[in-house]
């Protein structure tokens, strides 16, 4: 591992310039992790800079006949109203708390006004019902995401492993059947109807080659959970075979051969329902394609080729890039055809500023090209912008579905139900019918909510996340008081009060002016709403006769305004 001490100048300059760090973090949730990766030592940077350039193939799989997909989250639907996604989760502490009844059982749960009453007896079933409800909400949203994907030509989707929170936990875990059987079967019915492929990818902590027994036990539970999830979809035979679980080999633990032996032993003991779905993928830390291909051939396990990982971790027999790995295509494909499973590959690209291995692991928001794969296979695009990265490829290469979404239209969401506007129009009565905004949005059916509207406005250009969701309002902090007068005014006791600050302010009597009637000029209708509102809310004061007191200054007398 490279040390994080000493950051060379050229590494720091490799970051995106002309963008404040706070703003960069606000736009990119992974910016903080990227900053940590930048802190590499000089030796690692020099080694990375001196590596040979990648040698890429110039072949493009066109015309494209396969399926493009993305993983877990549709960004457009995630920021819809209401949001649609399948990764709602909670903390274990929340499950324990929800075992207690609400303070007011007749009212819905509220984070502050109606929380569980810890003084009441706890019921484990009540806490289980709480976490199961989260899972059901996640599973119900699969149907919406599938129909959204189908409308825009995307027929390949990876289900979130977090769909049912803590389902594989050793203490708080649970089986999905029977409570989730009906919801998952409905999702599988829609996937079968549309011809979509669904897969999963268990987390990095599921490692069948680990020397620790507790890790193996937890991995077996996690794989069993994913297998049950896919089986409850009740997919047709070929789609069911294609519903795979992608797994990494994991750590090396000091000895690759010993790790492979442990994997062999643990794999043989897996249930048949897990074996038929399990596939291995090369990673970007330890295991290359050349490391995994022999054991996949030995145990009859399909191998997923990840192009991005192969560029970071590859055998000395081949060069970095997409050209040399083509020589292994036939052997890799054979691992799929033996089990009659449709082959899939993963494609992603590193960020532009990435230099070292750790920096290059981070996926770029979108990809610029297609890998040299077969044109009829399934290709998972692993990019930060999810479905937008797929749209970008469709636009670039005019792939099937590129004409289904609108191009370069600013962020407007006419596909959501909105409440009637409560703001009253301030125009004259005779112009109200023309000037007043509609009181209610057009009626939108349940099936059409957040589906893009009649103009299919679902695409946003790279770097224009503001078109996807409204910009968060930033409250600027007031500048700290600098001068003694400002400090005294702000209430600082250590500052010497200014003379003007210690003197009590005299209350001046507002001079009474004769109010004039407002005259509507021809241009008055062009006044903005705020000015008109001020005119209406501040009625003119009726003129009144009163004797004016002679000015005290005119007669040379002092007047104590404080008494007034």
């Amino acid at each position: 591992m490279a040390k994080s001490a000493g950051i060379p100048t050229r590494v720091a300059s490799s970051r995106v310039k002309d963008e404040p760090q706070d703003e960069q973090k606000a736009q990119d949730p992974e910016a903080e992790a990227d900053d940590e990766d930048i802190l590499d030592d000089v030796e690692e940077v020099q080694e990375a800079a001196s590596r040979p350039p990648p040698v890429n193939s110039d072949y493009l799989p066109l015309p494209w006949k396969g399926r493009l997909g993305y993983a877990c989250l549709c960004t457009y639907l995630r920021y819809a109203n209401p949001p649609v996604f399948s990764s709602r989760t909670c903390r274990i502490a929340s499950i324990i708390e929800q075992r207690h009844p609400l303070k007011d059982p007749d009212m819905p749960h509220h984070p502050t006004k109606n929380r569980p009453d810890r003084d009441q007896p706890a019921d484990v079933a009540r806490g289980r019902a709480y976490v199961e409800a989260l899972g059901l909400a996640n599973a119900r949203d699969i149907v919406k995401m599938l129909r959204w994907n189908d409308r825009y030509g995307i027929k390949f989707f990876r289900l979130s492993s977090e769909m049912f929170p803590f389902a594989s936990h050793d203490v708080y875990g649970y089986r999905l059947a029977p409570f989730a059987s009906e919801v998952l079967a409905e999702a599988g019915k829609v996937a079968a109807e549309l011809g979509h492929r669904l897969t999963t990818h268990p987390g990095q902590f599921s490692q069948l080659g680990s020397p620790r027994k507790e890790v193996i036990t937890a991995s077996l539970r996690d794989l069993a959970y994913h297998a049950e999830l896919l089986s409850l979809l009740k997919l047709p035979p070929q789609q069911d075979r294609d519903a795979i679980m992608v797994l990494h080999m994991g750590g090396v633990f000091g000895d690759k051969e010993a790790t492979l032996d442990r994997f062999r032993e643990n794999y043989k003991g897996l249930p048949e329902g897990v074996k038929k779905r399990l596939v291995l993928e090369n990673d970007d830390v330890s295991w290359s394609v050349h490391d995994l291909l022999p054991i996949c051939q030995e145990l009859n396990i399909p191998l997923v080729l990840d192009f991005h990982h192969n560029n970071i971790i590859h055998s000395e027999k081949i060069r970095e890039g997409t050209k040399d790995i083509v020589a292994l295509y036939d052997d890799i494909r054979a691992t799929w055809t033996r089990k009659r499973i449709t082959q899939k590959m993963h494609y992603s690209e590193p960020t532009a500023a990435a230099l070292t291995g750790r920096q290059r692991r981070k996926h770029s928001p979108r990809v610029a090209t297609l890998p040299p794969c077969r044109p009829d296979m399934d290709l998972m695009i692993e990019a930060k912008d999810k479905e937008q990265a797929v749209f970008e490829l469709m636009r670039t290469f005019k792939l099937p579905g590129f004409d289904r979404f609108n191009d370069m239209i600013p962020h407007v969401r006419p596909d959501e139900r909105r409440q009637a506007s409560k703001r009253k129009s301030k125009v004259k009565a005779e112009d109200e019918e023309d000037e007043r905004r509609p009181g209610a949005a057009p009626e939108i059916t349940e099936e059409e909510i957040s589906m893009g509207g009649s103009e299919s406005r679902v695409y946003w250009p790279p770097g224009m996340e503001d078109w996807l969701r409204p910009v968060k309002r930033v409250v600027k902090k007031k500048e700290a008081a600098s001068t003694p007068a400002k400090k005294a005014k702000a209430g600082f006791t250590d500052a010497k009060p200014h003379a003007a600050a210690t003197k009590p302010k005299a209350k001046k009597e507002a001079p009474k002016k004769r109010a004039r009637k407002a005259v509507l000029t021809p241009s008055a209708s062009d006044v903005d709403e705020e000015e008109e509102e001020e005119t209406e809310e501040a009625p003119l004061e009726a003129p009144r006769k009163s004797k004016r007191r002679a000015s005290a200054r005119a007669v040379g007398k002092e007047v104590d305004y404080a008494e007034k």
Side-chain angles (χ1 to χ4, degrees), residues 300 329-339:
N300 195 19
Y329 274 14
D330 291 340
D331 292 336
I332 295 174
R333 180 171 176 78
T335 63
W336 295 86
T337 56
R338 285 190 301 178
K339 301 184 78 168

Side-chain angles (χ1 to χ4, degrees), residues 167-189:
S168 62
H169 196 272
D170 58 338
V171 177
Y172 302 96
Y174 48 91
R175 295 290 303 272
L176 304 185
F179 81 93
S181 300
E182 183 178 352
V183 176
L184 289 175
E186 179 63 25
K189 180 180 178 181

